[in-house]
Amino acid sequence: MPAQSSSSSLTPPMRSGSRAVQGIICVEAGMVFFVAQDAMMKSLLDSYPVWLLIFVRSLVALAVLGPLILWLGAPHRLFSPLWPLHFLRGLLFAIGFSLFYAAFPFMGLAEVTTIFFSAPLITALMAALWLKERIGPHRIGALITGFIGVLIAINPTASSFTAVSVLPLACAVFYSASQVLARQIGERDSSLTVGLNTLFFSGLVIMPLGWAVNAVLPQVADYPHLALHIPDAVWPDAPRLVLIGLIGMCGYVLISRAYQVADASLVAPFDYTYLPLALVLGYLLWNEVPPATTLVGMALIVGSGLYLGYRELRATTPGDEPALVGETVYAPAAPPLAQTPNTEQPASSDASAPEHAPEPAPEYGTPGRLS
């Protein structure tokens, strides 16, 4: 075959608007998986401690992701030089969602999730403070509206907060920090690599975390879902435990992908999709009927997220976001995708180069604009 030109040998850069759409789709799909996972976790907390459920979920996901990454090859990898960021992200996940699931037996599903869903606002603020992402007036307005919806759904005037109510709020802080870390990792690692490392490190620390909590707070042993023990009969529930791991794995990979390709402050409000899904599933499984204030709050939350996405998609222009570094490729032994070329080079830089000679591919994992 004749040699292709330099421009055709490179994968066309993904437009800013396309990356925004991909991030929104990934986070929406991830929320579907997460609400299904959480419903299964809630149903098993009467029999299993939260530490064991999170550990088994991570173990199952690793058993799938590890061989899959080896089979696919580059750009996916088992070991990443960014492991300190992955470790911190896994630790944040382990702590945050231990708090989240610990609240389930004491609070209703809708109450836990509405308090937790202050996370998108926290994520956007963290992204603005540490990642210097710009938050314009439309984003600010939509995020404030969504947070007002959260407060209406919680309805603090009807019932005051308790110590347990702090648990999902603390989870929101840990979750938001982990998503900002995903944005820092960017596309230097593929979504599969990010998901593998996050689940590996969260599974690695969850049992020691459970031991530490039981050692420091012996009273938690009075609650079966917090005590550090392994039930005698686990095998009858093995299929459900495996399914939780598979569902959680899909959710983590999708959410990681969303925060890799789009601004955290853009995709964060779409986490709110979890709320109406949780309400519907709660009604179907446990006959939970939310009060009118919760429904009003849900309408504001979902509406603000959709409006924010609409405004941002209209405002995005090519060049607003950094060039891609590493894409996820679902094909056996797929090579690293070619990177976005630097189109700002002087015209004379191409004069001495052969017309059809492709540019050399950069080493995978190198951050920044590639030329």
Side-chain angles (χ1 to χ4, degrees):
M1 294 179 61
Q4 293 180 332
S5 66
S6 173
S7 60
S8 62
S9 65
L10 293 170
T11 301
M14 189 185 298
R15 286 185 175 181
S16 177
S18 298
R19 298 183 71 187
V21 171
Q22 183 181 145
I24 292 170
I25 291 175
C26 286
V27 77
E28 293 283 312
M31 289 301 113
V32 173
F33 282 101
F34 277 144
V35 72
Q37 170 200 250
D38 291 344
M40 295 184 67
M41 293 282 283
K42 181 178 175 67
S43 66
L44 289 172
L45 281 175
D46 291 337
S47 305
Y48 298 94
V50 62
W51 326 107
L52 181 61
L53 290 177
I54 294 178
F55 175 76
V56 172
R57 183 182 64 183
S58 299
L59 191 65
V60 172
L62 290 174
V64 175
L65 283 179
L68 180 61
I69 287 176
L70 290 175
W71 180 53
L72 295 177
H76 317 294
R77 51 188 176 183
L78 293 177
F79 306 101
S80 171
L82 303 176
W83 70 265
L85 290 176
H86 292 300
F87 172 79
L88 182 56
R89 191 164 187 258
L91 179 63
L92 292 171
F93 259 81
I95 297 174
F97 285 100
S98 296
L99 297 170
F100 181 77
Y101 295 125
F104 271 5
F106 305 106
M107 303 170 63
L109 181 61
E111 187 178 3
V112 173
T113 53
T114 49
I115 296 175
F116 167 76
F117 270 92
S118 57
L121 175 62
I122 299 171
T123 300
L125 294 177
M126 287 183 176
L129 291 175
W130 286 303
L131 301 184
K132 307 305 180 183
E133 292 183 2
R134 186 179 62 182
I135 301 182
H138 290 286
R139 285 185 177 182
I140 293 175
L143 290 171
I144 291 176
T145 302
F147 186 67
I148 292 174
V150 172
L151 293 178
I152 294 176
I154 295 174
N155 193 14
T157 59
S159 59
S160 60
F161 282 104
T162 64
V164 176
S165 301
V166 180
L167 298 181
L169 183 61
C171 176
V173 175
F174 285 107
Y175 173 82
S176 300
S178 72
Q179 301 304 60
V180 172
L181 282 177
R183 185 63 175 165
Q184 281 191 312
I185 294 170
E187 298 199 11
R188 289 178 285 172
D189 277 332
S190 71
S191 301
L192 291 183
T193 300
V194 173
L196 174 75
N197 281 270
T198 300
L199 293 171
F200 169 75
F201 285 118
S202 62
L204 185 67
V205 302
I206 190 62
M207 296 304 286
L209 179 63
W211 175 86
V213 169
N214 278 263
V216 175
L217 301 172
Q219 60 269 28
V220 302
D222 296 335
Y223 305 100
H225 75 293
L226 295 177
L228 192 62
H229 70 93
I230 299 178
D232 297 330
V234 176
W235 290 112
D237 289 321
R240 298 173 67 188
L241 296 174
V242 171
L243 185 59
I244 286 179
L246 294 175
I247 292 175
M249 176 197 67
C250 293
Y252 285 132
V253 170
L254 288 166
I255 294 298
S256 296
R257 182 61 182 166
Y259 281 86
Q260 281 181 302
V261 301
D263 279 355
S265 50
L266 167 62
V267 299
F270 287 88
D271 288 355
Y272 289 129
T273 306
Y274 181 104
L275 291 173
L277 294 175
L279 291 177
V280 171
L281 202 57
Y283 174 77
L284 294 177
L285 296 180
W286 298 290
N287 200 29
E288 295 179 353
V289 179
T293 53
T294 300
L295 296 178
V296 172
M298 296 305 103
L300 288 175
I301 291 167
V302 176
S304 65
L306 293 177
Y307 175 75
L308 176 62
Y310 168 73
R311 291 295 308 181
E312 292 301 326
L313 288 176
R314 287 187 58 187
T316 50
T317 57
D320 283 348
E321 300 180 65
L324 297 178
V325 176
E327 273 281 2
T328 299
V329 183
Y330 292 95
L337 289 186
Q339 307 300 321
T340 303
N342 189 347
T343 58
E344 299 175 358
Q345 293 178 344
S348 60
S349 64
D350 295 332
S352 60
E355 180 181 359
H356 300 296
E359 297 180 8
E363 181 181 357
Y364 175 73
T366 304
R369 179 177 287 277
L370 301 170
S371 57

